Amino acid sequence: MRTVRRPLARSHNRTAYLFLLPWLVGFFCLTLGPMIGSLYLSFTKYNLLADPSWTGLDNYIRIFGDDATFGHSLKLTFTYVLLSVPLRLVFALLVAMALNKGIRALGVYRTVYYVPSLLGGSIAISIVWRQIFDGDGVVNRALGWLGIDGPSWIAHPDYLLYPIVALSVWQFGSAMVIFLAGLKQIPADLYEASQVDGAGKARQFFSISLPMLTPVIFFNLIMSIINSFQAFTPAYVIGDGRGGPLDASMFYTLYLYLKGFAYFDMGYASALAWIMLLIIAAFTGIVFATSRFWVFYGDGKEGR
């Protein structure tokens, strides 16, 4: 029996390796390899035309020493993340709760609400969004019917961030679908028992729904933070592609792109990319570290 099992085990192992081979090739050639190359370029001066020359920490010293645009773009990106992530998650949860009422044609509504997540990151949608929030766009026309003189959302640096945040909130579909799946996993007898005890809808939400959804909230929060830090297309299209007006749309990713592909300072752009990677890792680590205090799983234990 041993002489029969060994060839079979080896055959299964070879099959598993063959299935893993495309992923391994993609990981090493399209992910790990470019990351190592970018790390090396971050310590060089490289303009895409000549060979990179080693400069050590000069790029990082320039970034933290005398680059005012770096600080502005980082502050603007932080503001965007702090505004868009909570609003998107709250809106997604509200829509998921509305769809969890047993309405007919749930699949149709779920698909309709999910479509913005598929289209929201496209250039076409960003162009449409720019037209909607233009000086004579749909938003200002609607405000005009209410007797409100709307501002120039796109042209004024004090208001440009809000259309970009609104576009992010509009892309709530993916988080909503995950919230809806989480709501359907909550046992109905918990709500029935709470009704017997006289608990109202608000008490049921804060005592049953919200605690049971904390693992889903945790996942959506992580993914939303990562995606928000990487926001590029809305800032590029809704702004003028150069961070205007007055750097009001100079998101971190846009500044990185301009440094690398407009000013041909790829070494500097690589250093900016690695700083962003560390920032995202730090925010993700903070969420993971604090999850033990607010994430609860079905076994009654808190997250670890």
Side-chain angles (χ1 to χ4, degrees), residues 183-194:
L183 287 170
K184 291 189 175 298
Q185 297 300 316
I186 301 177
D189 55 358
L190 294 179
Y191 295 104
E192 295 173 356
S194 64

Side-chain angles (χ1 to χ4, degrees), residues 265-300:
D265 196 351
M266 187 58 69
Y268 198 87
S270 298
L272 288 172
W274 274 92
I275 292 173
M276 175 53 67
L277 175 64
L278 295 178
I279 292 173
I280 294 176
F283 270 79
T284 305
I286 291 172
V287 175
F288 268 97
T290 58
S291 64
R292 68 180 64 184
F293 303 109
W294 60 274
V295 178
F296 303 91
Y297 296 95
D299 55 2

